[in-house]
């Protein structure tokens, strides 16, 4: 008898324990009245006024992002229009039979249909059959169709006629997250209500109320982080809140939320911007490496940096400061950093990180892309005359070729006369003239005027001289003489070709000629360049100092000495055309000729 009594008592206690099952916060704190709906005051006011006035449409469409209260408002609205004694504010009384039946989930006047799993024509026809039966308690039969955009086209068409002319006792409430997928014929028959995303502050305030009711201690920064992670959805915020509560055992702190959600601390972004302003490329690389080692994705890091710089831009002006959806403490940090950031730095940084975000998916070496992006950001405020060791972007080397060609004096065309023209020429040009001009005797010279090449323009020797006839001094000198990095012939050829590709547009002619030359290491670190003809040699001599400085920077060796000389007759090689190059290639590789013949290809 005692044993049986014990087991009965034990069973009752266990039944009581199991009856008190856990309910997630998103369901437990789901709004039951219009006044408890968060962040949709304009919509709830409109719906309450419709209930008070009794001017109800036959179809409503609630659309907006996930977790903002579409289905919740549909249920509250359905209960309110069936309430037998609504309040003066348009709320349900929660005391009449209709309200009690709804609260106890036994109402026969309110039907919910999930269009995602019931999207066929047969499901809609079954629903239409139910609309013919009038309600037994209350005024209306309310049909809530969730995710209505999932209905098939045939189901939409079957729904059209009833939606246009439903019975007087029927109200349809459609809910969707993708309004653009609904047929225009459906949209035109509904009153459309667009739900907005909730602000970070609204979500944070609601989470505070939930935490107080549950007896959970919290840090405001932690709730702000949860609200930011929710992206405007209250349901997501409450789900993350439950997750953080379980992890932190009822004491939600900022560090525990970061650890639980694996979120990058915003302090890292503040450090990145500070390092970029101070051109600390090495520190940026070390910080990036530590974050990647912790498992953070480079793309998410760039996305977070873009959002951070955008917030800095908003904090720059008092008018845009309200656009910052952060806590008051974070807002102050952004304002302090905005004072240190020039506006030009912010705009350029946004452009660079946005370009990285676009190219990230297509990149085969994603980490390198992120590193180059951070290097570019760190160079924005770097002065133009910074040394090569400061981590300059390669494209900065273009500045070595700026203002290279000085404006030449215009020479008036001279008319051939019997008088002896004044000629300025070099010894080389004199030899060329002697070879080009026919031999004449003294009588022919006296009777016939002749034209010398030097009289119709200027020579390459003149190009090297200034307006006063003197040769200008070298404009560029090697500034990194302390660097002595060893380089190979391959390194030399690669940097030579890179230099040619970076030369400005006005030097495209000499750049294409330089590409046909192959510099050689002649007694390291001396470099020798063999030029085919004397005219080209004169042009190379003009920019020799700048070429030397460019190679010194790119090869990281300031002891380079560039030598140029005219090619010997046996060293001059014929420049091949594309056809001749292809003929040489297939001559050395018979397999290429077989492939060309098999595919019947011709060189265009």
């Amino acid at each position: 008898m005692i044993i049986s009594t014990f087991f009965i008592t034990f069973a009752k206690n266990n039944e009581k324990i199991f009856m008190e099952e856990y309910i997630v916060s998103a369901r437990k704190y789901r709004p039951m009245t219009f006044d408890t709906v968060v962040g949709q005051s304009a919509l709830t006011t409109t719906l309450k006024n419709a209930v008070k006035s009794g001017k109800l449409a036959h179809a409503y469409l609630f659309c907006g992002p996930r977790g903002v209260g579409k289905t919740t408002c549909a249920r509250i609205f359905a209960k309110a229009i069936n309430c037998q004694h609504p309040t003066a504010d348009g709320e349900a009384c929660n005391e009449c039979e209709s309200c009690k039946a709804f609260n106890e989930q036994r109402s026969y006047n309110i039907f919910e249909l999930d269009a995602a799993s019931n999207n066929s024509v047969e499901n809609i026809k079954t629903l239409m059959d139910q609309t013919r039966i009038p309600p037994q308690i209350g005024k209306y039969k309310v049909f809530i169709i969730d995710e209505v955009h999932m209905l098939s086209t045939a189901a939409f068409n079957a729904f059209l006629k009833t939606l246009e002319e439903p019975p007087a006792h029927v109200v349809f409430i459609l809910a969707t997250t993708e309004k653009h997928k609904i047929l225009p014929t459906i949209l035109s028959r509904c009153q459309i209500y667009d739900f907005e995303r909730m602000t970070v502050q609204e979500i944070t305030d609601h989470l505070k109320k939930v935490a107080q009711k549950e007896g959970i201690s919290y840090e405001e920064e932690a709730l702000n982080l949860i609200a930011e992670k929710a992206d405007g959805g209250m349901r997501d915020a409450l789900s993350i809140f439950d997750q953080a509560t379980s992890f932190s055992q009822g004491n939600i702190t900022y560090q525990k939320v970061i650890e639980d959600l694996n979120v990058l601390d915003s302090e890292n972004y503040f450090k990145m911007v500070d390092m970029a302003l101070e051109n600390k490329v090495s520190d940026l690389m070390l910080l990036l490496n530590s974050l990647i080692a912790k498992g953070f994705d480079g793309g998410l890091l760039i996305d977070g940096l873009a959002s951070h710089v955008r917030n800095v831009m908003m904090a720059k002006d008092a008018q845009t400061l309200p656009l910052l959806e952060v806590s008051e403490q974070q807002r102050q940090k952004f304002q302090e950093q905005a004072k240190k950031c020039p506006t030009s730095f912010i705009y350029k940084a946004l452009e660079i990180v946005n370009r990285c975000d676009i190219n990230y998916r297509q990149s085969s070496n994603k980490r390198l892309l992120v590193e180059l992006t951070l290097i570019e950001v760190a160079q924005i405020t770097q002065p133009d005359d910074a040394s090569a060791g400061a981590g300059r972007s390669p494209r900065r080397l273009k500045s070595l070729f700026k203002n290279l060609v000085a404006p030449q004096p215009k020479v008036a065309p001279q008319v051939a006369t019997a008088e002896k023209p004044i000629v300025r020429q070099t010894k080389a040009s004199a030899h060329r003239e002697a070879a080009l001009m026919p031999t004449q005797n003294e009588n022919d010279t006296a009777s016939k005027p002749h034209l010398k090449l030097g009289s119709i323009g200027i020579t390459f020797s003149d190009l090297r001289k200034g307006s006063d006839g003197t040769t200008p001094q070298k404009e560029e000198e090697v500034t990194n003489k302390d660097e002595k990095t060893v380089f190979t012939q391959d390194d030399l050829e690669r940097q030579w070709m890179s230099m040619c590709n970076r030369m400005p547009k006005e030097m495209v002619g000499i750049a294409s000629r330089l590409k046909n030359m192959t510099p050689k290491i002649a007694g390291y670190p001396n470099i020798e360049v063999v030029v085919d003809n004397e005219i080209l040699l004169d042009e190379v001599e003009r920019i020799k100092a700048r070429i030397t400085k460019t190679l010194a920077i790119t090869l990281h060796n300031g002891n380079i000495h560039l030598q140029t000389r005219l090619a010997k007759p046996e060293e001059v090689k014929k420049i091949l055309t594309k056809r001749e190059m292809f003929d040489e290639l297939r001559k050395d590789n018979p397999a290429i000729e077989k492939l060309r013949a098999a595919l019947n290809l011709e060189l265009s």
Side-chain angles (χ1 to χ4, degrees), residues 233-248:
M234 184 61 74
R235 182 173 61 236
D236 291 354
L238 289 170
S239 299
I240 298 172
F241 176 81
D242 288 345
Q243 178 182 339
T245 302
S246 299
F247 180 78
S248 60

Side-chain angles (χ1 to χ4, degrees), residues 27-78:
R27 290 179 54 198
K28 185 175 182 180
Y29 295 99
R30 191 168 203 162
M32 300 299 293
T33 62
F34 286 123
D35 290 337
T36 56
V37 176
V38 179
Q40 310 295 342
S41 58
L43 297 181
T44 55
T45 300
T46 305
L47 295 175
K48 285 195 294 183
N49 291 339
V51 174
K52 286 191 295 183
S53 62
K55 297 178 179 179
L56 303 177
H58 62 274
Y60 296 85
L61 175 63
F62 293 171
C63 50
R66 68 182 189 277
V68 294
K70 299 185 297 296
T71 306
T72 297
C73 285
R75 292 175 178 175
I76 296 173
F77 186 52

Side-chain angles (χ1 to χ4, degrees), residues 22 58 91 167 294 361 365 380 413 448 468 492 535 545 554:
Y22 172 73
H58 62 274
E91 296 276 11
K294 292 178 182 178
R361 291 186 179 180
N365 193 339
I380 295 175
K448 295 181 181 180
D468 58 352
L492 174 60
I535 297 175
T554 55

Side-chain angles (χ1 to χ4, degrees), residues 439-448:
T439 305
Q440 297 179 339
N441 54 33
E442 293 180 359
N443 295 331
D444 293 338
T445 305
S447 60
K448 295 181 181 180

Side-chain angles (χ1 to χ4, degrees), residues 205-259:
D205 292 341
H206 187 69
L207 291 180
K208 289 179 182 178
K209 296 177 182 178
V210 173
Q212 291 171 0
K213 292 179 180 178
E214 294 290 327
I216 297 172
S217 59
Y218 61 86
E219 291 180 0
E220 188 169 348
E221 284 292 319
L223 298 185
N224 270 282
L225 183 59
I226 294 174
E228 291 175 15
K229 187 74 173 177
D231 193 25
M234 184 61 74
R235 182 173 61 236
D236 291 354
L238 289 170
S239 299
I240 298 172
F241 176 81
D242 288 345
Q243 178 182 339
T245 302
S246 299
F247 180 78
S248 60
Q249 295 294 312
N251 181 22
I252 303 178
T253 62
Y254 181 75
Q255 289 299 327
K256 288 182 179 179
V257 171
I258 286 178
E259 184 180 354

Side-chain angles (χ1 to χ4, degrees), residues 309-545:
V309 177
R310 176 260 180 195
N311 288 342
V312 174
M313 180 177 64
M314 295 305 166
K316 192 80 174 171
D317 192 342
Q319 293 181 344
T320 57
L321 193 59
L323 298 179
L324 285 179
E325 293 189 353
V326 295
S327 64
E328 186 61 32
Q329 184 180 358
Q330 287 285 90
R331 184 177 284 107
Q332 292 177 359
K333 288 185 179 179
F334 279 114
Q335 285 181 292
E336 291 174 2
Q337 191 166 73
K339 293 177 182 178
K340 298 185 293 184
C341 292
T343 306
S344 58
F345 169 83
I346 296 174
Y347 292 162
K348 189 64 179 176
L350 285 173
E351 178 188 350
I352 293 172
V353 295
N354 182 64
R355 184 170 66 244
C356 176
D357 183 50
I358 294 173
N359 298 330
Y360 188 79
R361 291 186 179 180
Q362 301 175 354
S363 175
S364 58
N365 193 339
K366 292 180 169 52
R367 174 164 180 168
L368 179 60
L369 177 62
V370 175
E371 289 174 343
L372 290 175
T373 300
L374 294 180
I375 292 173
E376 283 190 73
V377 173
Q379 291 180 355
I380 295 175
T381 58
Q382 187 168 307
D384 292 337
D385 58 349
S387 64
R392 267 315 219 187
S393 171
R395 68 173 187 274
R396 302 282 185 175
L397 296 177
K398 283 188 176 181
S399 61
L400 298 177
F401 294 96
K402 287 183 179 178
N403 304 321
L404 187 61
V405 182
Q408 304 299 333
K410 294 184 179 180
V411 180
Q414 300 182 12
V415 180
T417 63
E419 298 180 1
K420 185 176 181 180
I422 299 174
V423 181
R424 291 188 301 166
Q425 59 184 7
T426 62
K427 184 184 292 186
S429 62
H431 287 303
R432 289 196 299 272
E433 288 185 23
L436 291 171
M437 295 300 294
T439 305
Q440 297 179 339
N441 54 33
E442 293 180 359
N443 295 331
D444 293 338
T445 305
S447 60
K448 295 181 181 180
H450 64 273
L451 184 67
K452 293 188 177 181
L453 294 179
S455 65
I456 63 174
I458 55 178
T459 65
F460 286 104
S461 297
D462 297 327
L463 287 175
R464 295 196 297 269
K465 297 179 180 179
S467 58
D468 58 352
T470 61
T471 302
Q473 297 298 320
K474 294 180 180 179
E475 299 178 2
E476 298 291 339
E477 293 184 0
V478 176
T479 58
N480 61 329
K481 293 184 179 180
D482 56 334
E483 288 191 296
K484 298 181 181 180
T485 303
V486 179
F487 59 89
T488 63
Q489 179 65 30
D490 290 339
D491 297 333
L492 174 60
E493 293 180 9
R494 182 168 58 254
Q495 295 302 336
W496 179 272
M497 190 61 63
S498 178
M499 176 194 69
C500 297
N501 292 331
R502 293 194 303 270
M503 292 175 73
K505 292 182 179 179
E506 59 268 18
M507 301 185 66
V508 65
I510 189 172
S512 61
R513 294 181 179 91
L514 290 176
K515 288 181 181 179
N516 295 325
M517 304 179 192
T518 303
K520 302 289 185 181
I521 299 177
Y524 185 89
N526 297 329
I527 299 173
E528 184 183 61
V529 178
V530 180
V531 186
D532 292 344
N533 57 77
E534 191 172 350
I535 297 175
L536 183 56
L537 180 61
D538 286 340
E539 295 186 29
V540 174
E541 283 291 335
R542 287 173 48 228
I543 60 173
K544 179 179 176 181

